[in-house]
Amino acid sequence: MTDRKLALEAWESLFRAQHELFTEMNADFDHSDLGQAEYDVLLTVTRSPGMSARLRDVTSNMLISQPSVSRLVDRMVTRGLVSKCPDPDDGRGALITATDAGARAFRSVATVHGRSIASRMSRLDDEELRTLRDLAQKLRDR
């Protein structure tokens, strides 16, 4: 049986660390044309084959509601960062594809953001990073 007090302490520590790191890393976007949420959309899309992802896959990787993601994607279409078309395999769905401009904007921020993440995570050695990754994945597994 899990120790309830220890579970609460571990959760609070994890939550506070994530919040503090996330707050610090928001500065990575201060001089960018992309906001954090747009970056998250492009992260999913650019890592997908053909730089295209289903809207539902983009939504599942975001920490905001589906209607909010849809509105965000529509704004990104207007800005020329992504295109959106019907999903040929799912008539109710949509495919989101990074445009050349969106991919360039993503790569520009990803370089800065990647260095920032590596710097902040360097407090942990490689074994600790593997353990953290594995434990976080275990918590996410359903």
Side-chain angles (χ1 to χ4, degrees):
M1 182 79 164
T2 300
D3 180 316
R4 184 172 184 267
K5 183 176 187 278
L6 180 58
L8 292 171
E9 290 171 351
W11 168 251
E12 182 178 347
S13 182
L14 175 64
F15 179 79
R16 291 187 187 287
Q18 183 272 338
H19 177 73
E20 288 172 18
L21 288 170
F22 188 78
T23 299
E24 288 175 14
M25 286 187 229
N26 270 334
D28 297 348
F29 300 90
D30 286 350
H31 302 290
S32 168
D33 291 335
L34 295 179
Q36 174 71 47
E38 292 170 324
Y39 176 86
D40 286 345
V41 169
L42 286 167
L43 177 67
T44 299
V45 172
T46 59
R47 287 187 172 176
S48 299
M51 291 201 308
S52 288
R54 291 186 169 108
L55 181 58
R56 69 173 176 242
D57 296 331
V58 172
T59 300
S60 71
N61 288 329
M62 303 285 295
L63 299 177
I64 57 179
S65 68
Q66 185 275 327
S68 296
V69 173
S70 292
R71 287 190 300 273
L72 173 63
V73 166
D74 288 343
R75 289 192 303 271
M76 292 175 73
V77 167
T78 300
R79 292 186 54 208
L81 298 169
V82 296
S83 64
K84 180 179 175 183
C85 65
D87 183 346
D89 297 329
D90 178 0
R92 298 169 299 168
L95 285 178
I96 310 305
T97 303
T99 63
D100 289 342
R104 275 193 308 276
F106 172 78
R107 284 191 301 270
S108 174
V109 176
T111 301
V112 172
H113 193 49
R115 280 191 210 116
S116 175
I117 291 168
S119 174
R120 286 174 174 84
M121 298 301 283
S122 69
R123 298 172 195 160
L124 305 177
D125 64 33
D126 288 350
E127 186 59 34
E128 290 170 323
L129 288 170
R130 278 189 282 282
T131 299
L132 177 60
R133 178 200 61 204
D134 294 347
L135 290 171
Q137 185 58 52
K138 186 175 182 179
L139 287 171
R140 294 180 68 207
D141 289 344
R142 294 176 193 207

